[in-house]
Amino acid sequence: MSKIGVMVCGHGSRDTEAIAEFQAVAAGIQARLPQYPVASGFLEFARPIIRDGLDKLHGAGARHILAVPGMLFAAGHVKNDIPSVLNTYAAQHPGLRIDYGRDLAVERRLLQVAAQRIEQAEAASTRRMPRDETLLVVAGRGTSDPDANSNISKVARMLWEGMGFGWTEVCYSGVTFPLVGPGLEHAVKLGYPRIIVFPYFLFTGVLVKRIYRIADQVAERHPGIELLKAPYLNDHQFVLDAFADRVQEILEGENKMNCALCKYRARVLGFETEVGLAQQSHHHHVEGIGTDADHAHGKANGHCHHGNGHGHHHHDGHGHHHHRHGDHHHGHSHAHDHHHPPHPHAGHRHGPGKLNPDNLE
């Protein structure tokens, strides 16, 4: 039997705290899978890059790598960019098999973690407030993939119904609408005396810190409303358990990804022109480019141009190809263009086409 290794593929961030939290999760996955060597790497903005992690496993003798996306939902990074890097690496290393797992998706255990984080916010307040007098705002990352965005609405509904909040609203940190600022201003108008803002994110970073900052702005503008900020998911034991299960699913042949609403395979309302776009990664120019701390110290890590992707088939357990994406606003300035397909409603008055996502104007 070929030696098996596990590769955890992260998004990457300029925020050093986010990188440290991701690495803690990778270490937690290793603790749950002691029978396999585990490596990790990032798609962009941090090192090691994904190829570095693959090199580590391959160099240690692994000939069958189980790769999982270290992300909540399947948008462009999960459907396109990571598979492109994995496909290219496998094509360049004959005899190496890479099987690709699915995203965490809407998961029972993660909902339990979410409830605990919201309860932490409630417990931090000195005021006792019934749930039915509280409005919950769930803030997602925001992508140009409506399937991924809709998962935030499902998470919000399950928390609303399961925890008994008076009302729940959804907003996003970028790309789609409503952004956090307009979303919170709308929530204020509903008249609830308490609002809890919960970022449904795995790790901290530029976007989570922006969400909290905007929440503070809204609280200052509306002092009569108690606005609480709930922690994000982070390295809760249930999160680590869910990641370990995604690895095991690959070996058991139960690695199922939702393709019925994938905008690269089906004519999803508003995104019909993106069916069949060529699979390729758009992040070579930001692979390993470095965190904010690197830039603050004047480091220039350079750009890595590995993994250009040529549509090679990847062993993902569900036998299909995913294609080009356009899924994010990173929350920091790039001196480049990702060449993503535009969101079909990029000019929405509550979206990033009209608003600066860092403030309410």
Side-chain angles (χ1 to χ4, degrees), residues 7-332:
M7 180 69 206
V8 186
C9 304
H11 177 277
S13 174
R14 291 190 185 276
D15 188 287
T16 54
E17 291 181 70
I19 299 304
E21 290 178 356
F22 174 84
Q23 291 170 337
V25 166
I29 295 171
Q30 173 70 89
R32 280 159 173 73
L33 300 169
Q35 67 272 38
Y36 307 125
V38 176
S40 61
F42 301 100
L43 187 63
E44 59 182 0
F45 296 115
R47 289 188 179 274
I49 61 174
I50 293 173
R51 187 180 181 92
D52 294 334
L54 295 171
D55 282 342
K56 179 180 177 180
L57 293 172
H58 189 252
R63 293 300 176 265
H64 183 192
I65 294 176
L66 312 178
V68 292
M71 303 177 194
L72 287 169
F73 301 126
H77 291 320
V78 172
K79 293 178 179 179
N80 177 76
D81 297 315
I82 294 174
S84 177
V85 174
L86 299 177
N87 292 342
T88 301
Y89 192 91
Q92 293 169 347
H93 295 80
L96 174 65
R97 174 181 175 181
I98 301 178
D99 286 344
Y100 184 41
R102 67 187 176 103
D103 56 307
L104 291 175
V106 180
E107 227 271 359
R108 174 185 55 82
R109 288 165 296 188
L110 269 61
L111 289 171
Q112 291 178 286
V113 180
Q116 290 182 26
R117 299 310 191 212
I118 293 166
E119 289 167 353
Q120 285 179 247
E122 291 174 321
S125 174
T126 58
R127 297 174 59 185
R128 302 278 70 85
M129 185 79 66
R131 286 262 174 84
D132 62 3
E133 295 182 20
T134 300
L135 188 152
L136 174 68
V137 174
V138 180
R141 177 183 179 83
T143 79
S144 66
D145 190 315
D147 184 25
N149 292 334
S150 70
N151 284 330
I152 295 296
S153 293
K154 185 167 185 177
V155 166
R157 177 64 200 182
M158 295 185 79
L159 292 171
W160 181 4
E161 192 165 341
M163 299 183 74
F165 286 103
W167 201 265
T168 295
E169 292 288 320
V170 169
C171 57
Y172 301 90
S173 65
V175 180
T176 192
F177 57 88
L179 291 182
V180 176
L184 286 179
E185 286 294 342
H186 174 76
V188 164
K189 296 175 182 177
L190 297 179
Y192 284 83
R194 169 183 283 176
I195 295 175
I196 299 177
V197 178
F198 170 51
Y200 195 73
F201 282 65
L202 279 174
F203 312 111
T204 189
V206 172
L207 302 182
V208 170
K209 291 176 180 179
R210 174 193 293 161
I211 291 167
Y212 288 151
R213 184 169 64 251
I214 294 174
D216 288 338
Q217 294 175 10
V218 173
E220 291 177 4
R221 291 163 64 105
H222 303 277
I225 296 174
E226 182 183 31
L227 199 149
L228 305 178
K229 296 177 289 186
Y232 46 92
L233 300 175
N234 210 349
D235 59 345
H236 191 285
Q237 62 176 343
F238 288 169
V239 173
L240 301 177
D241 290 344
F243 272 124
D245 283 354
R246 293 297 177 269
V247 173
Q248 194 62 34
E249 285 176 355
I250 304 173
L251 293 174
E252 294 173 354
E254 297 181 357
N255 182 35
K256 300 174 182 177
M257 188 178 288
N258 175 18
C259 297
L261 291 176
C262 173
K263 69 173 183 174
Y264 307 110
R265 291 177 54 80
R267 294 176 62 82
V268 175
L269 180 65
F271 296 81
E272 293 87 351
T273 61
E274 297 186 40
V275 174
L277 290 177
Q279 183 184 47
Q280 61 185 62
S281 178
H282 302 276
H283 293 79
H284 322 302
H285 48 294
V286 286
E287 277 188 312
I289 198 172
T291 62
D292 287 335
D294 292 327
H295 290 281
H297 288 86
K299 296 181 182 178
N301 290 329
H303 293 186
C304 184
H305 295 274
H306 297 303
N308 57 356
H310 299 288
H312 304 292
H313 177 71
H314 61 279
H315 306 283
D316 58 7
H318 51 288
H320 65 268
H321 297 279
H322 286 302
H323 307 284
R324 188 181 176 190
H325 79 298
D327 78 333
H328 63 281
H329 171 90
H330 290 291
H332 41 253

